[in-house]
Amino acid sequence: MDHMMPEMDGVETMKRMRKMECCDGVPIYVLTANAVTGAKDEYMAMGFDGFLSKPVAADKLNGALREAIPEEMIHILTEVERQELRGTEPTVSGPPEDLPDVDGLDWNWAWTHLPEREMLREGVLSFYEILDLQADSLEEFYKALPKSIEEEGTEKTEGEDRPLDAYRIQVHGMKSAAATIGIVPLAGTAKLLEFAAKDGNLKRIFAMHTAFIEEWRSYKQKLSGVFGLSAKEDTEEKERGDKELLLTMFELLTPAMEELDVDTADGIMDKMKSYCFGEEIDGLVGKLNAAVKNLDEDLAKELMEEMEQKL
């Protein structure tokens, strides 16, 4: 359970889950970037069953799973089974040597959190695909910030966040995303902005925001070529898709998003991206893919409605 979430944070969500019969006995671990001394004891006292600091390292996640899952439900892979899963890929202790140098990206740091080539590829791909959406969201929250802390006020309507809270939560997520794939300097800047928002330091936010957004967006180009990523969409070899096909995909995507069926949703988007529907629609397909990757159901529905109107 992520601690820092909009509208209802992880602590309140956990407490409400404890009152639900379907969640009776389900272990709930807090996921947080707050790894200071004593934080684990505080979270345990709140009612959590365990603690994981972000960005999550694979060995810590495995340890938490072994701790939480009943022993009879755990099967430790033999070396033969491990090799079968890996196929012909050799066991390596560090990141692949064929990865290109990317300004600000530490592949060794990324490897501590994503210690297999496919995991690393998926992590970089996910970051790349939601990069613009994350920046756009932070820009919107930035525009809503008050000119002074006095304008911010202290009263909060239930279900709503003050502008500074919304900004802090968004940049917090960006910090974690950058740190996970090893872009440490970018994550560091995001952390400064997060704490500035937490402290109500609008002066620091106003001074740093624009430069941060420019640096953040620059990774669309910097990551181009890594794992075959391209800043330009190649449509030359794509089969032409029609309105009926696109609407069918929408019908499948909607329930997948509602049920948080990530694998199905990603599969539908991969299929959708393999077709060409015309320049205008294809541009929106990219935005829809980012919304699906970011699990933004409301934005996904808005984009599907917009695309349907343009067909």
Side-chain angles (χ1 to χ4, degrees):
M1 176 64 62
D2 196 357
H3 180 193
M4 194 174 296
M5 302 187 294
E7 298 187 23
M8 187 189 303
D9 67 21
V11 177
E12 180 61 25
T13 305
M14 176 271 294
K15 290 180 178 178
R16 294 197 185 190
M17 288 175 66
R18 294 297 191 202
K19 299 176 182 178
M20 300 167 63
E21 185 176 348
C22 61
C23 295
D24 184 37
V26 174
I28 304 176
Y29 279 51
V30 64
L31 181 65
T32 177
N34 181 19
V36 298
T37 303
K40 180 177 180 179
D41 292 338
E42 291 181 12
Y43 283 116
M44 300 291 278
M46 292 176 187
F48 287 101
D49 298 292
F51 173 95
L52 276 173
S53 60
K54 294 194 295 185
V56 178
D59 59 338
K60 292 182 179 179
L61 177 59
N62 284 334
L65 290 171
R66 290 190 184 188
E67 181 181 276
I69 298 174
E71 186 175 352
E72 64 272 15
M73 296 178 68
I74 297 177
H75 172 69
I76 306 299
L77 295 177
T78 65
E79 188 56 36
V80 173
E81 290 171 326
R82 290 178 185 274
Q83 290 298 332
E84 288 177 350
L85 283 175
R86 292 194 186 102
T88 58
E89 183 178 341
T91 302
V92 292
S93 58
E97 295 182 358
D98 62 342
L99 293 174
D101 290 334
V102 177
D103 181 40
L105 197 160
D106 185 337
W107 289 117
N108 288 304
W109 175 271
W111 192 256
T112 63
H113 307 111
L114 304 166
E116 292 182 7
R117 186 183 182 90
E118 184 59 22
M119 289 174 63
L120 188 59
R121 189 191 74 82
E122 286 291 334
V124 172
L125 176 63
S126 294
F127 177 85
Y128 183 85
E129 291 186 326
I130 66 171
L131 190 153
D132 285 331
L133 180 62
Q134 295 272 36
D136 290 344
S137 296
L138 191 66
E139 288 276 56
E140 289 301 312
F141 293 135
Y142 178 74
K143 292 175 184 177
L145 290 178
K147 292 183 177 62
S148 67
I149 195 62
E150 287 75 18
E151 292 183 21
E152 170 75 353
T154 57
E155 294 184 3
K156 184 189 295 186
T157 303
E158 186 174 354
E160 295 182 353
D161 290 290
R162 297 181 303 166
L164 271 172
D165 290 334
Y167 186 93
R168 175 173 58 89
I169 291 170
Q170 177 63 29
V171 80
H172 167 84
M174 295 167 76
K175 175 194 69 177
S176 297
T180 297
I181 68 163
I183 310 179
V184 181
L186 194 62
T189 305
K191 183 176 182 179
L192 291 175
L193 284 167
E194 177 189 349
F195 277 87
K198 182 179 180 180
D199 297 337
N201 191 339
L202 290 168
K203 184 177 180 180
R204 172 169 289 183
I205 294 175
F206 295 150
M208 296 179 60
H209 173 86
T210 300
F212 170 71
I213 286 292
E214 290 177 355
E215 181 66 9
W216 179 273
R217 291 190 188 276
S218 74
Y219 278 90
K220 195 73 174 182
Q221 185 61 44
K222 290 177 180 178
L223 290 172
S224 183
V226 179
F227 294 117
L229 295 173
S230 174
K232 294 182 179 180
E233 191 70 25
D234 182 13
T235 60
E236 292 183 4
E237 299 180 1
K238 289 184 178 181
E239 182 181 348
R240 182 74 184 187
D242 57 22
K243 178 178 180 179
E244 183 177 350
L245 174 64
L246 193 59
L247 292 179
T248 299
M249 290 183 178
F250 288 170
E251 290 178 2
L252 297 171
L253 182 60
T254 298
M257 288 292 290
E258 291 174 348
E259 297 168 12
L260 294 179
D261 186 346
V262 177
D263 291 337
T264 298
D266 286 346
I268 294 169
M269 287 310 309
D270 287 342
K271 188 71 173 178
M272 194 182 299
K273 289 188 296 179
S274 71
Y275 288 89
C276 176
F277 298 96
E279 185 176 348
E280 190 174 26
I281 297 297
D282 289 346
L284 292 173
V285 168
K287 293 181 179 180
L288 178 60
N289 182 59
V292 171
K293 289 286 185 182
N294 206 39
L295 298 178
D296 192 332
E297 182 182 344
D298 293 336
L299 179 57
K301 287 182 177 179
E302 290 177 13
L303 289 167
M304 283 188 281
E305 290 173 0
E306 183 179 351
M307 293 164 73
E308 189 171 346
Q309 292 172 1
K310 292 180 181 294
L311 290 172

